[in-house]
Amino acid sequence: MPKAKFEKIYKDLKEKIESQDYPYQGLLPSENTMVDIYGCSRNTIRRAVSMLADEGYVQPLHGKGVRIIYQPVAKAAFTVGGIESFKESAARNHKIAGTKVVQFAEITSDERIFEKTGFPVGSPLYYVQRVRYLDGKPLIFDINMFLQSVVKDLTPAIAASSIYEYLENTLGVQIVTSKRKMTAERTTQIDEKYLELNDYDFLAVITSQTFDSNGILFEYTQSRHRPDYFCFQDTAIRKRT
Amino acid sequence: MPKAKFEKIYKDLKEKIESQDYPYQGLLPSENTMVDIYGCSRNTIRRAVSMLADEGYVQPLHGKGVRIIYQPVAKAAFTVGGIESFKESAARNHKIAGTKVVQFAEITSDERIFEKTGFPVGSPLYYVQRVRYLDGKPLIFDINMFLQSVVKDLTPAIAASSIYEYLENTLGVQIVTSKRKMTAERTTQIDEKYLELNDYDFLAVITSQTFDSNGILFEYTQSRHRPDYFCFQDTAIRKRT
DNA sequence: GCCGATTTGTCCGTATGTATC
DNA sequence: CGATACATACGGACAAATCGG
């Protein structure tokens, strides 16, 4: 439950847009109208609206109004977006999630790991490999590294449920920023061993670095998805240079 | 040349961060300090900083300061990000761009096209297929559809140079919002015909919808990249729900 | 083409809350 | 506890774009 005013307004508008209460290609009420509706300042309205613009829900038109450009998506694949845990993604895609830990070790970052992940040389790390199941099928292979000084006392049992829940609820670590790269790669023998690949000999790969609320890089993940169950979404806004 | 104050500050800070003038893991000057430096209000500083946060350059820490989390990237592949034309991307990646138009037609949107692209049934469209060359090698296959009512008088000659330049400079169309989806797909016979695939039998695919400054969807593009020359970057920020 | 009303864009100053040290 | 720093919110002023009369 959001407590900040702009978050409530943001959420309310978002719901109204998603339910087509405010329809595609229509305009939002003017800022001054919404000031009356929500009983707040124009700045607060503008903040909520600009969040929706960042997500590709609306597009403000100078002098005219704010056009709704959100369209409901027919989602066949497993869509990835925002920062969310595997469990959250699975729930959003209406699929049943499962996880099997196939490797769990403690290692120390060296030069090679530093180059790849950004963890300072000498940092103690947890190294985890997990197979992710959607509706019972092994479709995603995850390789994680966690900074031990942040993610304390990680166990295989925790890795098998939700590390994000453990971080947020038990350790109080706030996940804040995540940098990601998307590529497509040939399958490896490890992929073949653990995943149900059918005829696929390539995977969609997301590698990400995650920072906690202290601005410390504490997680590096490589997530390897079977292509027919993968879709990565994004919205970009042009800025003048 | 940005004229808005917050854009200048944003640009200045960004340059100082990229040049390590403000180093990785360091803190920015406090907001009040920057108010003095730039001679503006705190709101304006906050706006510039929050843009940097959105791009994964910095991370504000409540009560402590704003940590710099930008790291220069060693880019081996052709990286895609933001809204930019093929020419701009190529320049940013220090590669020589070339384009060959292999198909140019005028079509009308029907039910099937509407489902796929979002163009209303009956809209007159341009349909273009182009092969993109990087340093002389055919690596990307682009399928574009443009709304004729926005992109007037498109010709194969224009398509061979830069449609974005034509739009912005000649027609005065402002590109604003772009929604994208990333997937990985098997190659088709058309891919094989035009691209230098080596042993690859799969491609990284970006499909995007682009909206102009009136909030009108005017472009649909499917961009098919050879995987070894493809990398898509993204930054996400966690929001509380 | 001009003018005025409407609407979004930019910026300011201030007040208050909350987290860190 | 006090000082510092970021977070939220308000209200006001003026600029710029759009549209209708």
Side-chain angles (χ1 to χ4, degrees), chain B residues 208-227:
Chain B
S208 64
Q209 294 177 305
T210 313
F211 296 80
D212 70 6
S213 59
N214 291 311
I216 303 296
L217 169 67
F218 76 96
E219 179 195 2
Y220 171 88
T221 294
Q222 185 175 120
S223 203
R224 306 171 69 81
H225 298 243
R226 203 173 88 180

Side-chain angles (χ1 to χ4, degrees), chain A residues 14-34:
Chain A
K14 187 166 181 168
E15 279 168 9
K16 286 191 166 61
I17 291 168
E18 282 172 348
S19 68
Q20 326 262 325
D21 208 340
Y22 293 139
Y24 177 65
Q25 288 292 318
L27 297 179
L28 285 184
S30 83
E31 292 174 355
N32 285 322
T33 308
M34 288 195 280

Side-chain angles (χ1 to χ4, degrees), chain B residues 163-180:
Chain B
I163 294 180
Y164 269 40
E165 269 179 36
Y166 173 65
L167 287 171
E168 297 203 320
N169 300 336
T170 309
L171 295 182
V173 175
Q174 295 262 349
I175 293 118
V176 182
T177 307
S178 177
K179 300 189 197 181
R180 291 177 293 199

Side-chain angles (χ1 to χ4, degrees), chain B residues 132-184:
Chain B
R132 305 292 208 166
Y133 295 79
L134 287 174
D135 293 342
K137 280 181 286 196
L139 298 177
I140 305 171
F141 185 68
D142 272 6
I143 299 166
N144 299 90
M145 293 185 219
F146 297 96
L147 197 62
Q148 289 191 19
S149 59
V150 174
V151 186
K152 299 184 205 303
D153 303 322
L154 190 65
T155 66
I158 294 167
S161 57
S162 174
I163 294 180
Y164 269 40
E165 269 179 36
Y166 173 65
L167 287 171
E168 297 203 320
N169 300 336
T170 309
L171 295 182
V173 175
Q174 295 262 349
I175 293 118
V176 182
T177 307
S178 177
K179 300 189 197 181
R180 291 177 293 199
K181 288 185 197 172
M182 247 289 324
T183 56

Side-chain angles (χ1 to χ4, degrees), chain A residues 36-163:
Chain A
D36 294 337
I37 294 174
Y38 292 103
C40 67
S41 74
R42 197 163 79 99
N43 279 336
T44 305
I45 296 291
R46 285 182 62 74
R47 182 158 177 187
V49 171
S50 82
M51 287 172 69
L52 292 169
D54 287 341
E55 293 177 38
Y57 271 56
V58 301
Q59 181 168 308
L61 309 175
H62 196 157
K64 298 213 317 219
V66 179
R67 172 144 299 147
I68 289 118
I69 59 172
Y70 166 86
Q71 298 171 86
V73 277
K75 56 184 90 173
F78 181 72
T79 60
V80 180
I83 301 185
E84 52 186 5
S85 69
F86 174 67
K87 266 194 183 175
E88 289 166 345
S89 297
R92 191 166 50 78
N93 289 281
H94 308 103
K95 297 195 183 295
I96 296 164
T99 299
K100 193 167 108 188
V101 177
V102 296
Q103 171 79 266
F104 188 96
E106 302 191 15
I107 61 173
T108 303
S109 180
D110 57 21
E111 187 62 36
R112 200 183 58 82
I113 293 176
F114 168 73
E115 285 299 327
K116 198 171 143 191
T117 65
F119 288 121
V121 174
S123 313
L125 306 173
Y126 290 108
Y127 179 90
V128 185
Q129 291 182 347
R130 293 184 289 181
V131 178
R132 305 293 208 165
Y133 295 79
L134 288 173
D135 293 341
K137 279 181 287 194
L139 298 177
I140 304 170
F141 184 69
D142 272 5
I143 299 166
N144 300 90
M145 293 186 220
F146 296 96
L147 197 62
Q148 288 191 20
S149 58
V150 174
V151 186
K152 300 184 205 303
D153 303 321
L154 190 65
T155 65
I158 294 168
S161 57
S162 173
I163 293 179

Side-chain angles (χ1 to χ4, degrees), chain B:
Chain B
M1 181 65 183
K3 61 170 190 253
K5 210 177 268 194
F6 74 90
E7 281 176 326
K8 288 184 195 165
I9 297 169
Y10 158 79
K11 203 181 151 200
D12 188 62
L13 290 175
K14 187 165 180 168
E15 279 169 7
K16 285 191 166 60
I17 291 168
E18 282 172 348
S19 68
Q20 326 261 328
D21 208 341
Y22 293 139
Y24 178 64
Q25 287 294 319
L27 296 179
L28 286 183
S30 83
E31 293 176 352
N32 286 321
T33 307
M34 288 195 279
V35 163
D36 294 337
I37 293 176
Y38 292 103
C40 67
S41 75
R42 203 163 77 94
N43 278 337
T44 304
I45 296 293
R46 285 182 61 74
R47 182 158 177 188
V49 171
S50 83
M51 288 171 69
L52 292 169
D54 287 342
E55 293 178 37
Y57 271 56
V58 301
Q59 182 167 307
L61 310 175
H62 198 153
K64 287 174 52 176
V66 179
R67 171 142 300 147
I68 289 118
I69 58 173
Y70 166 86
Q71 299 170 82
V73 277
K75 55 185 89 170
F78 181 72
T79 60
V80 181
I83 300 185
E84 51 185 7
S85 68
F86 174 66
K87 266 194 182 174
E88 289 166 345
S89 297
R92 191 167 49 78
N93 290 280
H94 307 102
K95 297 193 184 294
I96 296 164
T99 299
K100 192 166 109 188
V101 178
V102 296
Q103 170 79 266
F104 188 96
E106 303 192 14
I107 61 173
T108 304
S109 181
D110 57 21
E111 186 62 37
R112 199 183 58 83
I113 292 176
F114 168 72
E115 285 300 326
K116 198 171 142 191
T117 66
F119 288 120
V121 173
S123 313
L125 306 173
Y126 289 108
Y127 180 89
V128 184
Q129 291 183 346
R130 293 185 288 181
V131 179
R132 305 292 208 166
Y133 295 79
L134 287 174
D135 293 342
K137 280 181 286 196
L139 298 177
I140 305 171
F141 185 68
D142 272 6
I143 299 166
N144 299 90
M145 293 185 219
F146 297 96
L147 197 62
Q148 289 191 19
S149 59
V150 174
V151 186
K152 299 184 205 303
D153 303 322
L154 190 65
T155 66
I158 294 167
S161 57
S162 174
I163 294 180
Y164 269 40
E165 269 179 36
Y166 173 65
L167 287 171
E168 297 203 320
N169 300 336
T170 309
L171 295 182
V173 175
Q174 295 262 349
I175 293 118
V176 182
T177 307
S178 177
K179 300 189 197 181
R180 291 177 293 199
K181 288 185 197 172
M182 247 289 324
T183 56
E185 296 179 17
R186 185 80 66 191
T187 53
T188 66
Q189 290 188 0
I190 300 181
D191 299 322
E192 286 158 19
K193 179 173 174 188
Y194 292 114
L195 298 183
E196 181 178 309
L197 288 173
N198 293 354
D199 282 344
Y200 290 102
D201 59 351
F202 61 98
L203 296 172
V205 179
I206 294 186
T207 61
S208 64
Q209 294 177 305
T210 313
F211 296 80
D212 70 6
S213 59
N214 291 311
I216 303 296
L217 169 67
F218 76 96
E219 179 195 2
Y220 171 88
T221 294
Q222 185 175 120
S223 203
R224 306 171 69 81
H225 298 243
R226 203 173 88 180
D228 55 340
Y229 279 83
F230 175 82
C231 178
F232 182 85
Q233 290 198 25
D234 177 63
T235 303
I237 294 181
R238 177 79 161 181
K239 17 181 113 78
R240 349 180 221 316
T241 41

